Amino acid sequence: MKITYRISELVPYINWVYYYFAWQVKEEAEKQRMHAEALAKLQELDAQYQMHAVFELFDARSQDDDIEIYRTQLCPDCGVKHPVRVATIPCLRQQQGNPPFMCLADFISPKASKLGLFATTVDIGLETDFDGDVYQKMLTQLLADRLAEAAAERLHEQVRKEYWGYAKDENLSIEDMLVEKFQGIRPAVGYPSLPDTSLNFLLDEILDMKQIGIRLTESGAMKPHASVSGMMISNPKARYFAIGKIGEDQLQDYARRRAVPAEVLRKWLNV
């Protein structure tokens, strides 16, 4: 599923806390000034640029620390629909601190579950059309970063209430959503519970992120920079966590499951 958003639709979903943090602004008067400036800029950008998202919902099951995802396809020979495995997503498990040592696969049933995969991004022009003005370039880039996250927030709301529909009766304010009072989690690639950015290569194979303009670097980083990719998990017990440092034993096992040389993963994961 491919979705296009107007910038004006996403402005209410912007988490301004991170915008002010990026500017290192703490005084309330300065925050108000920057907020007004940002809103004016967003109104200007709305006339020329859009935001884009891609999402797909899969049947899924966990197998140890892996998540297997399936599409239902019609067998041309027997005329019966069968689940066909699309991919296996290897996950990492915590090894430091106190138990339980968590892994995202823990929140997917080994028998029958579902998993959403998504990506959001900006029109590339938001990152290239302002190179001649240093301040406007920085302003637009920081707003683009917030818009990519806002698109993920809006998409997740639609997924919970409509496309997946596991929380059809949800009645949260945007403020509640921004502090994650909804059911489930939305771990993003490159973030603490899903730190391996090279997983974007796998997500690109599954979702074809190129269809919304996302290209990957040799390490799996996304371009435009203002892009977000990841999973949507509905389990009410799911929560965010940080993988932290992993041991050599898990690195070798993960390399085997990812079919990527351990030394390459060592560099990507900063192990």
Side-chain angles (χ1 to χ4, degrees), residues 232-265:
M232 294 182 182
I233 297 174
S234 66
N235 190 328
K237 295 183 179 179
R239 60 188 178 94
Y240 294 103
F241 57 90
I243 292 295
K245 187 174 178 59
I246 64 171
E248 184 67 23
D249 56 341
Q250 184 169 192
L251 175 66
Q252 295 296 331
D253 177 66
Y254 186 66
R256 176 186 59 79
R257 291 185 287 130
R258 286 277 284 111
V260 174
E263 291 310 309
V264 173
L265 286 173

Side-chain angles (χ1 to χ4, degrees), residues 79-130:
V80 177
K81 291 183 177 180
H82 295 282
V84 177
R85 187 165 66 182
V86 175
T88 299
I89 304 174
C91 300
L92 291 166
R93 182 173 294 280
Q94 291 176 313
Q95 288 185 279
Q96 291 186 318
N98 298 317
F101 300 110
M102 290 187 289
C103 172
L104 289 174
D106 296 342
F107 305 128
I108 303 296
S109 169
K111 295 182 179 179
S113 190
K114 289 189 180 296
L115 180 75
L117 297 180
F118 77 95
T120 64
T121 193
V122 302
D123 275 343
I124 188 63
L126 278 172
E127 296 193 346
T128 61
D129 291 351
F130 300 87

Side-chain angles (χ1 to χ4, degrees), residues 12-66:
Y13 293 83
I14 290 176
N15 191 331
W16 293 101
V17 171
Y18 295 105
Y19 181 73
Y20 302 138
F21 179 80
W23 284 107
Q24 298 184 351
V25 172
K26 297 180 180 180
E27 294 183 2
E28 195 59 36
E30 183 64 7
K31 287 181 180 179
Q32 292 178 8
R33 185 195 69 78
M34 295 196 72
H35 186 251
E37 177 188 45
L39 290 178
K41 187 65 177 180
L42 288 165
Q43 186 174 10
E44 173 190 325
L45 297 173
D46 185 50
Q48 188 173 353
Y49 304 97
Q50 294 178 314
M51 303 293 299
H52 308 281
V54 61
F55 168 79
E56 188 170 351
L57 181 63
F58 298 90
D59 292 322
R61 72 182 188 96
S62 62
Q63 179 67 39
D64 298 322
D65 290 350
D66 293 338

